[in-house]
Amino acid sequence: MKPYKFEPYLKTTIWGGYQIAPFKGIYTAQPNIGESWEISGVPDHESIAVERGLVDDVDVGMNLTELIDKYKGLLVGQKVYKRFGNQFPLLVKFIDSRQDLSVQVHPDDKLAMERHGCAGKTEMWYVIKSDVGSKIYAGLSKSITREDYEQLATAEPVNDHSPMQDVLSTHEAHEGDLYFLPAGRLHAIGAGNFLAEIQQTSDITYRVYDFGRKDSHGNPRELHIEQAKDAIDYQVWPEYRTSYDSTKPISQLINCPYFVVHRVVVQVAQQIDFHCDSFVIVMCLWGEANINGIHIRQGETILVPACENVLYIFGNATFLTATM
């Protein structure tokens, strides 16, 4: 089973920019692309397999859910299939923030299942590039109570500045920065950031503050202040940026119950075995290479089946990989 490529789902957003299409080397007249969903099992937005260089490839045109139903553990891994069935457990994206995104939080698995009948959302960000002075907002800078939160979130902004912004931990963004965002952590991507996001398959977001923006009809975008109250982690943590050894050709970035992510730098050739019963997602951040018989270049993402998940890489490129 060769790796799969999929048609990206380009999502126009009110805060989106213009970098995703050039980064991916594609042309589109679609404006304000904020997100490219590279591999998705989200209902109604399942990724569609595209041509892989095989003669009479019957899998072309099938969506990811159909492929899992067809190949089961051979594609995603026996343990993964037993746990998730035909639901692909991860959603991976490229994100381009021309404006600040809303201050938001995601529920954990328990709360999301109670309210929405789906998984919660733990995620991570890897900053690919950022404008000078760009910010990442992650976590709380000082301790607040649930009552404090309600007062801050409902207070009237002064000069387009909400008191909520005063309790967010603010970080200057740099290329290569890494942020792990467990469910419950308040966060926002600041304007001028281009990043890769790896997350649980969930599209549940509670907006707390949206900088007074209006939608395409001129109405303020919906906030979820009351719903967020039970989802927020009110604890202050000593560090929100995640450190890793950027000098290594293979660096583990995140190891959590939902995904394991590595940064891989290949200059000529590399063989990698993650020793896991799982698919491998490979996101190319720079350069180009051949991986298990599939050509991949900057901005492309492939899904390597679990039954063939040892990576044989030839080329000069930098990747993020995600496994379970």
Side-chain angles (χ1 to χ4, degrees), residues 198-242:
I198 297 171
Q199 59 160 91
Q200 288 178 266
T201 293
S202 172
D203 206 24
I204 305 300
T205 295
Y206 299 148
R207 290 195 200 102
V208 172
Y209 176 65
D210 196 35
F211 303 95
R213 273 187 296 230
K214 294 180 171 56
D215 62 21
S216 57
H217 303 291
N219 301 313
R221 294 210 296 171
E222 183 182 6
L223 299 180
H224 312 94
I225 292 172
E226 184 63 27
Q227 296 98 314
K229 181 171 63 175
D230 296 325
I232 294 171
D233 174 10
Y234 293 98
Q235 183 174 349
V236 176
W237 294 85
E239 183 59 64
Y240 294 107
R241 185 189 284 112
T242 303

Side-chain angles (χ1 to χ4, degrees), residues 101-146:
L101 273 68
S102 59
V103 177
Q104 55 190 240
V105 71
H106 308 297
D108 62 15
D109 288 343
K110 182 176 182 295
L111 186 60
M113 188 58 65
E114 290 174 357
R115 290 183 176 176
H116 310 285
C118 66
K121 186 174 174 181
T122 285
E123 61 189 350
M124 60 145 283
W125 296 333
Y126 179 91
V127 179
I128 299 171
K129 54 184 175 179
S130 61
D131 295 342
V132 175
S134 295
K135 301 292 191 295
I136 292 287
Y137 307 94
L140 290 168
S141 60
K142 61 182 180 181
S143 180
I144 60 172
T145 64
R146 289 162 59 95

Side-chain angles (χ1 to χ4, degrees), residues 63-255:
N63 71 36
L64 184 53
T65 303
E66 293 168 337
L67 289 171
I68 297 173
D69 186 51
K70 179 178 179 179
Y71 293 111
K72 300 179 170 56
L74 290 174
L75 180 60
V76 296
Q78 299 300 335
K79 290 182 179 179
V80 175
Y81 186 74
K82 184 177 180 180
R83 180 179 173 189
F84 295 98
N86 291 344
Q87 173 71 61
F88 193 71
L90 299 183
L91 170 60
V92 298
K93 311 174 182 177
F94 291 115
I95 296 179
D96 177 18
S97 59
R98 182 176 53 88
Q99 300 177 11
D100 292 331
L101 273 68
S102 59
V103 177
Q104 55 190 240
V105 71
H106 308 297
D108 62 15
D109 288 343
K110 182 176 182 295
L111 186 60
M113 188 58 65
E114 290 174 357
R115 290 183 176 176
H116 310 285
C118 66
K121 186 174 174 181
T122 285
E123 61 189 350
M124 60 145 283
W125 296 333
Y126 179 91
V127 179
I128 299 171
K129 54 184 175 179
S130 61
D131 295 342
V132 175
S134 295
K135 301 292 191 295
I136 292 287
Y137 307 94
L140 290 168
S141 60
K142 61 182 180 181
S143 180
I144 60 172
T145 64
R146 289 162 59 95
E147 292 71 26
D148 294 333
Y149 156 74
E150 284 193 284
Q151 292 179 0
L152 292 167
T154 56
E156 285 295 322
V158 177
N159 296 324
D160 294 326
H161 183 89
S162 166
M164 273 303 304
Q165 294 170 263
D166 296 330
V167 299
L168 285 176
S169 184
T170 303
H171 315 268
E172 188 168 320
H174 303 93
E175 178 182 337
D177 281 355
L178 175 66
Y179 290 89
F180 178 60
L181 302 161
R185 182 163 293 173
L186 283 164
H187 60 273
I189 302 172
N193 283 297
F194 188 93
L195 52 83
E197 178 178 275
I198 297 171
Q199 59 160 91
Q200 288 178 266
T201 293
S202 172
D203 206 24
I204 305 300
T205 295
Y206 299 148
R207 290 195 200 102
V208 172
Y209 176 65
D210 196 35
F211 303 95
R213 273 187 296 230
K214 294 180 171 56
D215 62 21
S216 57
H217 303 291
N219 301 313
R221 294 210 296 171
E222 183 182 6
L223 299 180
H224 312 94
I225 292 172
E226 184 63 27
Q227 296 98 314
K229 181 171 63 175
D230 296 325
I232 294 171
D233 174 10
Y234 293 98
Q235 183 174 349
V236 176
W237 294 85
E239 183 59 64
Y240 294 107
R241 185 189 284 112
T242 303
S243 60
Y244 63 97
D245 189 346
S246 61
T247 65
K248 291 183 177 181
I250 304 176
S251 302
Q252 186 178 96
L253 305 185
I254 301 293
N255 187 343

